[in-house]
């Protein structure tokens, strides 16, 4: 087995979408003979532990870019992740940035990106942004689509309303859930006491936040099953949109903190017709339409099928290439 240093393990938060992403990363690498040398958690600076990471020397560096590669002048987290390309090159290791949405980077961050062996972004807007800076990249739709889709209910019913990373939007969605008697759910469920205790013990025993064995802290499959039984999803979360696409559940979405939702809608449908304005949630007419489920048209269903098929092919090709860079 070869070993990968995997950075930006976002699943430590318990977020359903992030857990689905990391499940895909671990399982796809494992299927190609690559296991984690370590997993580095989201939002923790790796520079302070560089000496330890050298002792755990992997064969390859894989960086999960989700939710992170933007506004580099203001976000240390962005700078830390892109700097991993230089770290890998100095160690003579292949380095791959995957599952990224990219925008608003300064020159230093853009130069760092050029040191990655490959860059794989989640949508075409990120691809266009990088191409405008003469940086080669490839589109592979978000890796949460690697989750096994549960079967759809024969008769769907009920509205699932999720939260948003934006506070005011999250509050508006919660009020809307009450208005339409919908089921409101946070995409980041609260971690159990046992999970919190395990995380503390792991950090204490190992002397650093990294771990070599991945474990899920939430069940994205159970969440996807709830979507597959529902007539509509109303959300401000990127990964709620992706898991609705996976389960072919009709959805409408509000903008997030970047254009990643709009970008995916354009990639899937060629438009943003299923994007809401926050004020729509206060419109009685919209509430009536939501109660009727807002089903997909035949052309939308065809577009969803094409998108999921493309995602599967692109995902497999990406992990095949990553494995080839370490001799598999």
């Amino acid at each position: 087995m070869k070993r990968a240093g995997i950075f930006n393990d976002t699943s430590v938060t318990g977020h359903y979408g992030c857990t689905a992403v990391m499940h895909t990363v671990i399982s796809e690498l494992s299927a190609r003979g690559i296991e984690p040398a370590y997993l580095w958690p989201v939002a923790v600076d790796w520079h302070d532990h560089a000496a330890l990471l050298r002792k755990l020397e992997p064969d390859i560096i894989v960086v999960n870019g989700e939710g992170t590669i933007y506004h580099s002048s203001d976000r240390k987290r962005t700078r830390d992740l892109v700097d991993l390309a230089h770290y890998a090159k100095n160690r003579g290791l292949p380095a791959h940035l995957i599952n990224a949405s990219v925008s608003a980077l300064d020159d230093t961050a853009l130069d760092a990106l050029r040191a990655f062996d490959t860059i794989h972004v989640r949508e075409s807007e990120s691809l266009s942004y990088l191409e405008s800076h003469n940086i080669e990249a490839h589109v592979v739709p978000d890796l949460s689509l690697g989750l096994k889709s549960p079967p759809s209910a024969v008769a769907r019913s009920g509205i699932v309303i999720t939260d948003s990373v934006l506070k005011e939007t999250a509050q508006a969605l919660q009020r809307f859930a009450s208005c339409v008697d919908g089921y409101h759910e946070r995409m980041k469920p609260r971690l159990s006491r046992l999970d919190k205790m395990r995380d503390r013990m792991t950090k204490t025993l190992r002397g650093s936040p990294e771990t070599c064995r991945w474990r899920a802290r939430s069940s994205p499959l159970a969440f996807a099953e709830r979507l597959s039984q529902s007539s509509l999803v109303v959300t401000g979360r990127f990964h709620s949109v992706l898991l609705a696409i996976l389960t072919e559940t009709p959805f409408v979405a509000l903008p997030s903190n970047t254009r990643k939702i709009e970008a995916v809608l354009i990639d899937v449908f060629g438009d943003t017709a299923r994007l809401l304005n926050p004020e729509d949630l206060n419109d009685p007419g919209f509430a009536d339409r939501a109660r009727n489920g807002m089903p997909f048209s035949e052309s939308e269903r065809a577009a969803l099928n094409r998108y999921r098929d493309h995602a599967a092919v692109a995902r497999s090709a990406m992990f095949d290439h990553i494995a080839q860079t370490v001799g598999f």
Side-chain angles (χ1 to χ4, degrees), residues 199-258:
D199 288 343
R200 286 195 298 268
M201 289 180 62
T202 296
K203 184 176 180 180
T204 299
L205 292 173
R206 297 184 69 85
S208 83
E210 114 290 342
T211 183
C212 59
R213 181 173 297 176
W214 184 77
R215 61 183 177 82
R217 292 163 176 82
S218 67
S219 176
L221 183 57
F223 176 71
E225 287 174 347
R226 290 192 286 278
L227 297 189
S228 70
Q229 297 169 9
S230 303
S231 61
L232 181 68
V233 178
V234 183
T235 183
R237 288 281 192 175
F238 175 79
H239 277 120
S240 296
V241 171
L242 268 296
L243 294 176
I245 290 170
L246 176 73
T247 58
E248 204 163 303
T249 304
F251 67 88
V252 286
L254 288 91
S256 187
N257 57 344
T258 69

Side-chain angles (χ1 to χ4, degrees), residues 2 5 8 32 37 42 73 78 81 99 115 122 133 153 161 174 189 200 202 217 246-247 258 280 282 300 308:
K2 298 289 187 177
N8 202 34
R32 292 161 175 82
V42 62
S73 60
T78 299
L81 286 190
N99 207 51
R122 303 187 290 188
H133 292 281
I161 296 96
Q174 192 161 13
R200 286 195 298 268
T202 296
R217 292 163 176 82
L246 176 73
T247 58
T258 69
D280 291 333
N282 300 317
E300 285 178 320
R308 289 190 298 261

Side-chain angles (χ1 to χ4, degrees), residues 59-327:
D59 301 293
I60 188 172
I61 297 293
V62 177
V63 180
N64 170 31
E66 74 172 293
T68 307
I69 313 299
Y70 63 94
H71 296 164
S72 54
S73 60
D74 302 324
R75 288 170 52 86
K76 183 177 185 299
R77 189 183 305 180
T78 299
R79 298 193 296 273
D80 289 345
L81 286 190
V82 298
D83 196 33
L84 284 163
H86 293 311
Y87 170 80
K89 289 305 174 206
N90 290 337
R91 306 296 301 172
L93 303 174
H96 302 274
L97 175 62
I98 65 174
N99 207 51
S101 288
V102 183
S103 63
L105 300 182
D106 58 20
D107 289 342
T108 300
L110 289 167
D111 286 342
L113 286 183
R114 293 184 175 94
F116 280 103
D117 288 83
T118 61
I119 297 173
H120 295 87
V121 294
R122 303 187 290 188
E123 25 68 27
S124 297
E125 282 196 12
S126 290
L127 178 67
S128 297
Y129 174 78
L130 291 174
E131 287 179 342
S132 72
H133 292 281
N134 297 314
I135 297 175
E136 182 179 356
H138 307 274
V139 174
V140 178
D142 188 80
L143 297 182
S144 61
L145 293 175
L147 189 70
K148 182 179 179 181
S149 179
S152 296
V154 175
R156 293 173 177 261
S157 64
I159 305 173
V160 172
I161 296 96
T162 77
D163 56 350
S164 169
V165 69
L166 304 176
K167 183 178 179 180
E168 291 185 1
T169 300
Q171 292 171 343
L173 283 163
Q174 192 161 13
R175 290 192 298 269
F176 182 75
S178 298
C179 173
V180 297
D181 195 26
Y183 177 70
H184 183 267
E185 183 159 8
R186 289 161 46 97
M187 281 295 286
K188 191 188 295 184
R190 290 181 175 85
L191 295 179
S192 69
R193 289 184 179 180
L194 179 59
D195 277 325
K196 291 178 180 179
M197 182 177 69
R198 282 174 174 169
D199 288 343
R200 286 195 298 268
M201 289 180 62
T202 296
K203 184 176 180 180
T204 299
L205 292 173
R206 297 184 69 85
S208 83
E210 114 290 342
T211 183
C212 59
R213 181 173 297 176
W214 184 77
R215 61 183 177 82
R217 292 163 176 82
S218 67
S219 176
L221 183 57
F223 176 71
E225 287 174 347
R226 290 192 286 278
L227 297 189
S228 70
Q229 297 169 9
S230 303
S231 61
L232 181 68
V233 178
V234 183
T235 183
R237 288 281 192 175
F238 175 79
H239 277 120
S240 296
V241 171
L242 268 296
L243 294 176
I245 290 170
L246 176 73
T247 58
E248 204 163 303
T249 304
F251 67 88
V252 286
L254 288 91
S256 187
N257 57 344
T258 69
R259 278 186 51 84
K260 55 193 174 186
I261 290 177
E262 293 93 323
V264 164
L265 293 180
I266 292 170
D267 279 355
V268 177
F269 301 121
D271 59 46
T272 57
R274 287 190 172 264
L275 190 73
L276 300 176
N277 293 313
E279 53 267 26
D280 291 333
L281 298 178
N282 300 317
D283 180 359
F286 171 70
D288 287 339
R289 293 196 301 276
R291 292 186 186 98
N292 291 325
M294 303 179 69
F296 291 126
S297 66
E298 287 303 314
S299 63
E300 285 178 320
R301 289 185 183 280
L304 289 166
N305 285 331
R306 289 193 297 270
Y307 186 73
R308 289 190 298 261
D309 289 346
H310 162 67
V313 171
R315 186 169 61 246
S316 180
M318 177 182 74
F319 282 107
D320 283 347
H321 179 74
I322 288 172
Q324 288 168 8
T325 63
V326 287

